Amino acid sequence: MNKGLKSNRRDFLKIAATTGGGLLIGFNWSACDSPKMKVISDQEIYDRAVNFNSFLSISPSNHVVIFSPNPELGQNIKTSFPMIVAEELDVDWANVRVQQAFLDTEKYDRQVTGGSGAMPHSWQRLRQAGATARQMLMEAAAKRLNVPITELKTDKGNVIHGSKKLNYGELANEAAALTVPEEVKLKEVKDFKIIGTAVKNVENDAMFTGQPLYGLDVYRDGMLHAMIQRAPFGMKLKSVDADEAKKVNGVKDVVTFKDNVAVVGTGTWPLMKARKLLKIAYEPIDKALESTAFHNSKFDEMLNSGAAEVKRKDGDVNAAFKNAARIIKSEYQCPFLSHSPMEPMNFFANVKEDSVELIGPTQTPDRARNAAAEICGIAPEKVSVELTRLGGGFGRRLRADFVEEAVELSKMLKAPVKLTWTREDDITGGAYRPAVKYRFEAALNSKDELVGYKLTGVGMNSGNSTRENNFPAGAIENLEIKSMAFDSPITTNAWRAPITNFLAFAEQSFLDEVAEAMGKDPVAFRLELLDKAKANPVGEIHYDIDRMRGVINTAVEKSGWGKKQGVSQGFSVYFSHRSYVAQVAEARIVDGKAILDKIYAITDCGIVINPTGADQQVRGGMLDGMGHAMFANLTFTDGIADQKNFDTYRLIRMKEIPEIETHFIDNGIDPTGLGEPALPPTGGAVANAIYKASGQRLRNQPFSNEEGMKNLNLGNPA
């Protein structure tokens, strides 16, 4: 396969440094991981390796090739998956090489990145793969040495018997020919040597030196580039005048399909210029075009309609509220949000007579394959999908719309096509986090005890905008959770920690409001609710009370909750994607300005495979949580997004990041997911801290739009 790069900015930096006459010194970043020089090329290792199973092969040079099946988008799965296999195989990590596997539904289950589910799903499978190969290598060694297998042990890629040592490479051919054992013994947690240690990302070297890893790096001889002008939401294509666009040097053609106008040519720059010259007319599809003002009025209409669907109901809610001494009521609202990954949508497609070749960044390669097969009228088995590293996804690349566009164009043009979205396309092109509004109500009796709880969620294409079985469900005798969604032409999709990314903020903020009304410490109030759920559960409990209590107590300890002077603390705790995270934010008011100094995060995600990667995941989730809660806002006028690039669609900046302190609960249970759980509680912790410091409740996102929060400052008092 001819896959490479033309001279680009990365190459220019190298050329400029050389032609400038100075001394150019290269630094080998991979030397940070191991001082050993590579004598055998990676390609030679791959070519000579003996296959043991879907996950690993062993080379005669005693190098182990481990295949990572799931898409890598920054969650470190391409490092942590091989660590698990290598642990059970008992090899020296310095001798491990990692390869991204192609889509192969026969070999692998769930080749998907999303829902923080890759690790929980694959944990046992990966361990089994490594342990099985290790067992076969020991059996081969036992036969060669003519000794009982019980007298053998393994260490760093060697089978050892007394003073004799055989490396795995020597045994690979013999072992691979043996019958695969049906049952193998897995290591005990206390015997782990690789799992639980800090291992650098296996692609650090390639990333630091600008090697082609991403979909945007894909290049094939003879391929065409394409960019698309898409119709506004709720509109369809009426007419196109492309005469001026076709005159731009480098433009090959302008074609239309499914209300899209595609400019095709030799590179992205002429296409960007040509697209601006297109004269396109649109017309409404079947109803009035939507704007943010309409969405806001629709939220209120739905909340007051009484038509929301009951998702959970415990006890007699009507009686609890009818007889309440006090009712606390609050509403919380969030806007649509773009996923805004650093790498915009892109994909390569080559539609041939009876097959399709796909290359690019996708969180759901099987969905991409099936979409291509349907468009081309061929069996899915005729479609190959090569996965590149994803420059971010956050749920946006769960969809296959950009893949379908590339396939449609390749089929139409009878040529390989690389489709590229611009940043403006990415922000205005849809599949957003749904806009949602919540109404919370709490009933207190004459003793200021919580006797009733109601939540109604309404959203734009949100599906069920609640998580009816999450805390505090099960801890309140009378509880009602309802949901309702409006069918909007503005497309939506899962956005990192779907639904809970805003629901957690709203729930945790409201619980603080209730605690204050009851005259209770907010942490003590949550612990009391958990005690009630433990002693006298109401209905089903879908969360682990002890794990939630564990992160709360640790957060109290690590943050010095309630014991610090000169700083206001806000608390939040949430369960999502099988894991538990408690956070404490610290804020101050300086010269009338809210300053966020620090956030503590306590995470229970089971066994931590790679502490470095885990820490990055928690910090990244928290930055997403606080940055989007404070700044990000997407509004609409007549079906068109008002914000089109980062000059108006505000994200958190590096200088604004407060101090973050992370801790993990060591409980020895199987991993339970980490890509998303740290995001949901962050907004609540921050909002509760700001309230403590300023006396102002923040109920709508972004916070920076709220009165008095225009000068909100994150970790940078200057």
Side-chain angles (χ1 to χ4, degrees), residues 76 305 446 635 661:
N76 214 38
S305 69
S446 58
T635 58
E661 183 176 317

Side-chain angles (χ1 to χ4, degrees), residues 627-679:
H628 285 90
M630 292 183 174
F631 304 119
N633 190 25
L634 199 61
T635 58
F636 291 85
T637 301
D638 293 334
I640 299 174
D642 298 318
Q643 296 76 23
K644 295 176 173 57
N645 208 319
F646 292 143
D647 57 337
T648 52
Y649 187 74
R650 175 83 155 85
L651 297 179
I652 191 170
R653 294 162 183 158
M654 290 186 69
K655 69 177 183 178
E656 296 172 324
I657 299 172
E659 181 182 354
I660 295 175
E661 183 176 317
T662 63
H663 299 273
F664 294 86
I665 302 295
D666 183 8
N667 54 18
I669 68 173
D670 289 354
T672 56
L674 191 55
E676 291 156 292
L679 188 155

Side-chain angles (χ1 to χ4, degrees), residues 154-441:
T154 60
D155 183 51
K156 293 186 177 181
N158 297 285
V159 181
I160 302 168
H161 182 261
S163 60
K164 295 181 180 179
K165 181 186 295 186
L166 297 172
N167 70 50
Y168 288 176
E170 296 176 69
L171 298 165
N173 283 303
E174 299 164 55
L178 298 175
T179 302
V180 177
E182 293 185 5
E183 293 185 10
V184 292
K185 183 179 179 181
L186 302 179
K187 283 186 178 182
E188 294 185 28
V189 174
K190 65 180 179 60
D191 296 325
F192 286 164
K193 301 173 185 175
I194 297 174
I195 292 175
T197 63
V199 173
K200 291 183 176 66
N201 191 307
V202 296
E203 290 186 320
N204 273 357
D205 182 29
M207 287 189 286
F208 294 157
T209 56
Q211 296 178 36
L213 289 174
Y214 300 93
L216 288 176
D217 293 325
V218 172
Y219 172 75
R220 297 290 296 277
D221 288 339
M223 77 179 188
L224 295 172
H225 289 266
M227 285 186 170
I228 294 174
Q229 186 63 48
R230 298 164 185 84
F233 298 109
M235 303 193 80
K236 60 183 178 181
L237 187 64
K238 184 178 181 181
S239 64
V240 182
D241 180 349
D243 290 345
E244 293 302 313
K246 290 180 179 180
K247 294 177 183 178
V248 175
N249 186 34
V251 171
K252 296 291 188 181
D253 203 355
V254 176
V255 297
T256 63
F257 68 100
K258 296 181 178 179
D259 294 318
N260 296 315
V261 182
V263 186
V264 183
T266 57
T268 55
W269 181 239
L271 302 187
M272 292 170 71
K273 291 193 291 184
R275 194 168 63 164
K276 293 178 181 179
L277 300 175
L278 293 171
K279 298 176 182 177
I280 305 175
Y282 297 101
E283 58 186 350
I285 295 175
D286 56 10
K287 58 182 179 180
L289 300 177
E290 293 183 8
S291 298
T292 296
F294 168 79
H295 296 150
N296 291 338
S297 64
K298 199 67 184 177
F299 280 146
D300 293 336
E301 177 187 322
M302 289 191 291
L303 282 172
N304 295 323
S305 69
E309 179 185 357
V310 175
K311 295 296 183 180
R312 175 165 176 159
K313 190 169 185 178
D314 297 328
D316 191 338
V317 177
N318 292 335
F321 277 83
K322 181 180 179 180
N323 298 323
R326 276 199 297 167
I327 294 176
I328 300 143
K329 181 178 177 180
S330 292
E331 294 179 354
Y332 295 78
Q333 185 172 333
C334 70
F336 289 98
L337 290 182
S338 167
H339 296 76
S340 297
M342 188 57 65
E343 178 189 26
M345 301 302 106
N346 66 89
F347 225 81
F348 171 87
N350 187 9
V351 177
K352 305 173 187 178
E353 186 174 339
D354 62 349
S355 65
V356 179
E357 177 189 16
L358 300 177
I359 308 174
T362 172
Q363 293 178 243
T364 52
D366 195 32
R367 176 178 291 177
R369 180 177 72 168
N370 290 335
E374 183 174 349
I375 290 169
C376 297
I378 60 176
E381 293 73 24
K382 296 285 187 178
V383 181
S384 67
V385 183
E386 180 179 350
L387 302 174
T388 63
R389 186 180 179 90
L390 286 66
F394 313 113
R396 178 61 182 89
R397 287 186 161 98
L398 290 169
R399 290 172 67 100
D401 54 324
F402 50 94
V403 181
E404 293 168 10
E405 291 174 344
V407 173
E408 293 272 14
L409 286 171
S410 179
K411 179 183 177 184
M412 182 184 303
L413 299 167
K414 300 185 185 317
V417 171
K418 179 180 175 181
L419 172 72
T420 304
W421 292 38
T422 63
R423 176 61 59 201
E424 289 82 1
D425 294 335
D426 218 39
I427 290 179
T428 64
Y432 306 114
R433 193 273 301 272
V436 175
K437 189 168 186 175
Y438 294 112
R439 175 178 290 167
F440 290 86
E441 298 174 78

